[in-house]
């Protein structure tokens, strides 16, 4: 049966419209703008005081116990005294949380950057940023550039060391899991295995009791130990930074935490506006002047 010309034209037009509609449905469409996320965004996920924290409306900050000076004072992280306590509260304020909205939690040093879900929003405990640790946790931008130092009893055989080579025949000690221990094994490479301690307090006791010739800690801690805790000890020297970039302490967060960019942005702002430098001067200004061991 033949269709009339007008009928044919109508059929062709209908088919054309159907094809166009199908093509439009298959063609790439403009992407809808997705809600802002924490990753590098200035969107609502970083809205002050409204972060996706462990407890709504609260910021949970962790550190080890005891909390050592000069990073904290009187073993009381919540008092705002000491460099890291002051930095923690400055970051909290930058994120929109006042002092009354901060909750402190005790977490052992090694556990802070071990794999697994964290119970805190961020941890502050002289944890150096490293590629190895980044496999298990996130870090904020660095809030402090640090060097490692060697402490020995005055009159002991380590006290006269002026180079890394002078340390190789000595018994050295450091806290487990620290960059201090890494410097012993990777930089000094002593002939004897280093003594490894769960806490810095144990390393200090070992030094006082003559169980080790010297211990390695970060430089500000070394200055505090020698000036207030083991006064018959002295700083033998400090190490140069390895790899051409400064070692930095960073705030520790859950791996993939949505808070990481917000916290990093807060730290960056505190560095830019001079707050970190001011707190450094206030709490750590004595930690200068140790000779460099090469």
């Amino acid at each position: 049966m033949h269709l009339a010309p007008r009928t044919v034209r109508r059929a062709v037009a209908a088919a054309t419209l159907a094809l166009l509609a199908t093509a439009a449905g298959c063609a790439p469409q403009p992407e809808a703008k997705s809600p802002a996320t924490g990753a590098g965004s200035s969107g609502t996920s970083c809205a002050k005081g409204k972060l996706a924290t462990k407890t709504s409306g609260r910021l949970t900050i962790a550190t080890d116990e005891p909390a050592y000076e000069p990073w904290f004072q009187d073993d009381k992280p919540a008092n705002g005294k000491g460099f890291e306590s002051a930095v923690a509260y400055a970051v909290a304020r930058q994120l929109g949380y006042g002092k009354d909205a901060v909750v402190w939690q005790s977490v052992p040093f090694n556990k802070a950057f071990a794999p697994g879900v964290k119970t805190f929003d961020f941890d502050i405990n002289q944890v150096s940023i490293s590629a190895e640790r980044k496999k298990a946790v996130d870090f904020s931008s660095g809030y402090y550039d640090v060097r490692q130092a060697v402490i020995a009893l005055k009159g002991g055989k380590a006290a006269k060391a002026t180079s890394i080579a002078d340390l190789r025949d000595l018994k050295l000690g450091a806290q487990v899991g620290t960059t201090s221990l890494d410097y012993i094994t990777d930089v000094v490479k002593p002939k004897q295995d280093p003594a490894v301690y769960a806490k810095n307090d144990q390393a200090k006791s070992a030094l006082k009791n003559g169980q080790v010739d010297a211990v390695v800690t970060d430089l500000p801690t070394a200055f505090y130990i020698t000036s207030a805790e083991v006064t018959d000890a002295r700083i033998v020297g400090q190490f140069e930074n390895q790899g051409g970039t400064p070692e930095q302490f960073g705030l520790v967060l859950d791996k993939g935490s949505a808070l990481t960019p917000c916290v990093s942005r807060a730290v960056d702002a505190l560095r830019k506006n001079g707050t970190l430098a001011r707190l450094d001067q206030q709490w750590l200004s004595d930690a200068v002047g140790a000779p460099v061991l090469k």
Side-chain angles (χ1 to χ4, degrees):
M1 181 180 76
H2 295 282
L3 296 175
R6 181 178 296 177
T7 303
V8 172
R9 287 197 298 272
R10 286 175 179 171
V12 170
T16 301
L17 287 172
L19 286 170
L20 288 172
T22 301
C26 296
Q29 301 298 306
E31 292 185 7
K33 291 184 179 179
S34 57
T37 63
S41 165
S42 58
T44 55
S45 63
C46 286
K48 290 196 171 185
K50 297 180 180 179
L51 304 183
T53 53
K54 298 292 183 182
T55 302
S56 180
R58 302 276 181 179
L59 189 66
T60 302
I61 304 176
T63 196
D64 202 353
E65 185 180 3
Y68 298 110
E69 299 194 29
W71 310 105
F72 301 90
Q73 273 197 0
D74 305 319
D75 193 19
K76 295 178 180 177
N79 64 13
K81 297 178 180 179
F83 179 74
E84 288 193 330
S85 180
V87 168
Y89 281 117
V91 171
R93 286 191 298 273
Q94 199 70 28
L95 294 172
Y97 296 88
K99 193 171 183 178
D100 59 348
V102 171
V103 178
W104 285 90
Q105 187 180 96
S106 175
V107 173
F109 178 82
N110 260 0
K111 191 174 179 180
F113 51 86
V117 177
K118 307 307 175 192
T119 56
F120 50 78
D121 294 310
F122 69 76
D123 178 278
I124 183 167
N125 190 24
Q126 307 112 68
V127 182
S128 295
I129 301 168
S130 73
E132 184 64 27
R133 290 172 179 172
K134 281 183 176 181
K135 295 176 183 178
V137 295
D138 279 1
F139 281 96
S140 71
S141 301
Y143 62 87
Y144 182 71
D145 297 356
V146 65
R147 284 191 175 191
Q148 301 298 315
V150 179
I151 308 167
L153 293 179
K154 297 172 183 176
K157 57 184 178 180
K160 297 179 181 179
T162 58
S163 68
I164 292 172
D166 292 338
L167 300 172
R168 292 203 172 111
D169 290 325
L170 305 176
K171 183 69 174 179
L172 306 176
Q175 184 178 350
V176 65
T178 60
T179 309
S180 305
L181 183 58
D182 291 340
Y183 267 75
I184 293 175
T185 57
D186 300 340
V187 178
V188 178
K189 299 178 181 177
K191 295 177 182 178
Q192 305 178 59
D193 290 337
V196 182
Y197 303 97
K199 302 277 186 180
N200 257 337
D201 278 346
Q202 296 169 352
K204 288 182 290 187
S205 295
L207 179 64
K208 287 191 287 186
N209 295 332
Q211 294 169 305
V212 292
D213 297 311
V215 295
V216 178
T217 70
D218 59 79
L219 187 57
T221 298
F223 269 91
Y224 180 75
I225 288 173
T226 54
S227 64
E229 296 183 319
V230 189
T231 53
D232 59 340
R234 63 180 292 266
I235 296 175
V236 176
Q238 61 179 308
F239 295 104
E240 292 182 304
N241 285 315
Q242 303 298 302
T245 56
E247 178 186 345
Q248 291 187 315
F249 292 157
L251 306 176
V252 182
L253 300 95
D254 260 320
K255 184 67 177 174
S257 172
L259 298 183
T260 302
C262 306
V263 174
S264 283
R265 193 173 303 133
V267 173
D268 292 342
L270 294 174
R271 187 177 289 277
K272 185 176 181 180
N273 67 22
T275 298
L276 293 181
R278 177 177 58 79
L279 295 178
D280 186 336
Q281 179 65 28
Q282 180 179 356
W283 298 107
L284 304 177
S285 60
D286 289 337
V288 294
V292 175
L293 299 166
K294 295 183 179 180

